[in-house]
Amino acid sequence: MYSALQEEAIQRAGRKGAPTPQAAPAPPAGRPRRFARSSCACGGGCPNCREESRPPGPRQARDGEAATASDAAEPLAEPAAAPSFRDCSERITGITDANERLETARQRAREYVGAARRALGAAPAAGTTYETALGRHFITPSAADRATIEDNYRRILGTLVPANYICNSQNICEGEQAFWIEADDLVHVCRPFWELSPTCRAIILIHEGAHDVGIGVAGAHPPNRGSAQYPTGDTAAPAGQTTAGRMDNPDAYAFFGAHIWRDTDTGRPCF
Ligand SMILES: [Zn+2]
Ligand SMILES: [Zn+2]
């Protein structure tokens, strides 16, 4: 999809909170670049990262496994049997219900994308969640920008299919929640993914799906939600954030979709 990959390959992507662009650390030779969300330079496995992945306090109550109002309305009653995703065995994933968790996340991600696409057809009315979400995640998109964003969501939806996933063991994962690589064009799901809230699991699948369609793959990884450039919470976008930049940012698609579908933003950065 982009031929420069081999040359620019191999730097780790997705560090939260670092200024962009930034110098890449020396990568191991021959290692393909992984497009992942990672919370710090360690790649996610250091003690600090493990602590951050389970933030204590009120946000957890607001956005954790205990359902919010819109989570509780999740229309997933009587789901069909989950697909058997590639390599999502207990031996690889460390859990017995990886297929079910991944399928639930996939379905929810598709609903987030659908809600975003429906909203984007119209200009936002003053005072609506949609108006707030559009400004927070995409800054000030024109009507033409909204159409492009909607089309990007359409392409992301095409990635949210069972054949696009593979579960990886800790031998292959290096602390990522999930990552997409060009070599096999698959989204690789790692063990930290299983510990995320349902909301965050869906967010991660949209993030990786965005990479899969070419968003945020050129140059340094765009700032993830939770960074200074893209803070969590009821916070206006910092100065310097542009619509063009957010339109190339996987997290903008992921968190906007969740914001619209849930009718409220999440306070979590999903690390
Ligand atoms: Zn990424
Ligand atoms: Zn770390």
Side-chain angles (χ1 to χ4, degrees):
M1 178 182 314
Y2 43 93
S3 56
L5 185 68
Q6 294 299 338
E7 290 142 73
E8 68 151 329
I10 51 199
Q11 71 163 306
R12 294 191 62 80
R15 286 175 198 87
K16 170 185 77 158
T20 55
Q22 60 176 345
R31 185 188 188 290
R33 181 175 176 185
R34 296 181 176 184
F35 294 95
R37 299 180 85 244
S38 179
S39 58
C40 83
C42 79
C46 77
N48 187 44
C49 284
R50 286 195 295 271
E51 188 170 337
E52 285 175 5
S53 75
R54 290 178 182 76
R59 280 182 182 169
Q60 194 162 46
R62 175 181 158 199
D63 194 40
E65 298 287 338
T68 65
S70 48
D71 279 348
E74 175 187 14
L76 287 175
E78 305 302 328
S84 292
F85 292 94
R86 197 172 321 192
D87 291 352
C88 293
S89 64
E90 180 177 3
R91 182 177 62 83
I92 298 241
T93 64
I95 57 173
T96 58
D97 60 346
N99 285 316
E100 288 75 14
R101 290 194 211 185
L102 185 50
E103 177 62 3
T104 299
R106 188 183 73 88
Q107 294 288 356
R108 188 173 287 194
R110 293 182 67 90
E111 294 190 7
Y112 288 2
V113 168
R117 294 180 71 191
R118 285 190 295 277
L120 286 162
T128 58
T129 300
Y130 173 38
E131 182 191 46
T132 301
L134 208 54
R136 186 167 300 166
H137 305 289
F138 289 109
I139 319 299
T140 54
S142 66
D145 292 333
R146 290 202 322 270
T148 300
I149 294 165
E150 194 277 334
D151 194 59
N152 286 338
Y153 272 117
R154 180 188 59 77
R155 296 191 301 137
I156 291 169
L157 189 66
T159 76
L160 296 167
V161 295
N164 207 33
Y165 299 97
I166 185 169
C167 288
N168 282 169
S169 69
Q170 287 174 302
N171 290 335
I172 293 173
C173 299
E174 298 178 351
E176 303 97 337
Q177 301 154 324
F179 60 89
W180 174 82
I181 53 174
E182 187 188 38
D184 58 13
D185 194 17
L186 293 175
V187 173
H188 294 243
V189 180
C190 298
R191 287 193 177 185
F193 178 85
W194 310 117
E195 306 307 319
L196 295 167
S197 71
T199 297
C200 287
R201 284 183 206 143
I203 281 171
I204 297 306
L205 295 190
I206 295 173
H207 179 111
E208 300 306 332
H211 282 312
D212 193 345
V213 301
I215 292 166
V217 297
H221 193 285
N224 284 313
R225 192 92 197 265
S227 67
Q229 301 99 314
Y230 192 176
T232 54
D234 295 333
T235 309
Q241 293 301 296
T242 64
T243 295
R246 290 295 179 85
M247 286 171 68
D248 190 49
N249 186 326
D251 264 4
Y253 294 87
F255 283 86
F256 176 82
H259 194 155
I260 295 297
W261 187 85
R262 302 170 72 247
D263 199 31
T264 185
D265 202 0
T266 176
R268 294 193 154 190
C270 294
F271 283 116

